[in-house]
Amino acid sequence: KNEVEQSPQNLTAQEGEFITINCSYSVGISALHWLQQHPGGGIVSLFMLSSGKKKHGRLIATINIQEKHSSLHITASHPRDSAVYICAVSPATHDDMRFGAGTRLTVKP
Amino acid sequence: DSGVTQTPKHLITATGQRVTLRCSPRSGDLSVYWYQQSLDQGLQFLIQYYNGEERAKGNILERFSAQQFPDLHSELNLSSLELGDSALYFCASSVPRGGTYNEQFFGPGTRLTVL
């Protein structure tokens, strides 16, 4: 079983919809990351969080350490949000990063 | 633009060959991470360097090696290449001098194709 599980694997939404991507992990962590990968391949770090909630524009990330769960929300989705969203964790006892399989989001106009 | 540069962008080579991928971290970042992204395995951590020293090792094959130089740029060497080594190789940097661990900034990647 993967240490980082994401759901859903694929998500199609209409422009303007509210989107939620979920991430569950099974190891103790020092931080959780949400990454965005566009079709061209480049990876952008959206959030790094270890507790609570962070907001950047239309993106909101939350984490519940006790439940080992995080969510990424996109409000008022737009076609340019179409990308693969990857959840990753920095384990508490190791200096590496463990990745989920990603969620492929397609937002239709 | 993350400030992390990788060269080359694309690399096509044959099985059995050896290649070197290069990464320059963001100005001032001390840590460099290497990742492999293949179609069937997703993103995998390979190795991390901090200020010239190896800090952590992941799923890095013995045929692969890396180093970080005094100017903090890093090279990933892949030898005896196999078809299965075809992948996108990313490097990322973090930890500015005098700072603590923060988010990682990813380079644009090198796409390696082994024929």
Side-chain angles (χ1 to χ4, degrees):
Chain A
K1 193 177 186 306
N2 200 354
E3 292 169 315
V4 183
E5 298 279 355
Q6 279 184 245
S7 63
Q9 272 189 302
N10 294 284
L11 183 53
T12 300
Q14 287 299 128
E15 183 173 355
E17 284 184 1
F18 180 83
I19 286 159
T20 296
I21 300 170
N22 294 299
C23 175
S24 296
Y25 54 92
S26 58
V27 296
I29 67 169
S30 58
L32 182 140
H33 308 256
W34 282 102
L35 311 172
Q36 181 192 55
Q37 186 171 28
H38 275 284
I43 296 176
V44 174
S45 174
L46 298 174
F47 295 103
M48 183 181 98
L49 61 165
S50 53
S51 65
K53 178 177 169 176
K54 284 191 177 180
K55 185 174 190 290
H56 185 254
R58 293 180 296 106
L59 302 177
I60 303 165
T62 63
I63 188 168
N64 184 320
I65 297 291
Q66 285 72 32
E67 294 187 4
K68 290 190 163 69
H69 181 269
S70 175
S71 294
L72 176 70
H73 305 286
I74 305 176
T75 61
S77 59
H78 190 276
R80 65 174 173 266
D81 297 326
S82 298
V84 175
Y85 292 84
I86 302 168
C87 172
V89 299
S90 299
T93 54
H94 296 81
D95 281 334
D96 64 351
M97 197 183 264
R98 317 270 169 96
F99 298 89
T103 295
R104 183 174 299 276
L105 171 66
T106 303
V107 182
K108 295 186 173 179
Chain B
D1 183 359
S2 66
V4 179
T5 59
Q6 287 187 249
T7 56
K9 265 186 134 169
H10 302 276
L11 199 43
I12 302 174
T13 188
T15 54
Q17 295 298 304
R18 173 190 164 94
V19 296
T20 297
L21 313 184
R22 182 187 166 106
C23 169
S24 292
R26 281 192 329 156
S27 176
D29 279 357
L30 298 176
S31 244
V32 170
Y33 305 76
W34 286 98
Y35 299 98
Q36 180 193 57
Q37 186 178 38
S38 57
L39 276 174
D40 56 344
Q41 298 259 11
L43 268 165
Q44 288 196 94
F45 167 71
L46 295 178
I47 197 164
Q48 180 207 358
Y49 280 82
Y50 176 81
N51 204 18
E53 304 272 331
E54 182 185 302
R55 185 70 162 265
K57 226 169 182 175
N59 298 322
I60 187 165
L61 300 171
E62 282 192 18
R63 301 183 285 108
F64 296 0
S65 64
Q67 57 185 123
Q68 186 179 28
F69 295 86
D71 67 352
L72 300 176
H73 91 272
S74 178
E75 291 180 358
L76 179 67
N77 301 297
L78 316 176
S79 61
S80 302
L81 285 167
E82 301 175 0
L83 295 177
D85 298 327
S86 296
L88 260 173
Y89 291 84
F90 289 99
C91 83
S93 76
S94 73
V95 194
R97 194 177 297 276
T100 55
Y101 177 75
N102 57 10
E103 64 184 301
Q104 294 186 19
F105 294 86
F106 284 79
T110 292
R111 186 174 294 278
L112 173 66
T113 303
V114 182
L115 301 175

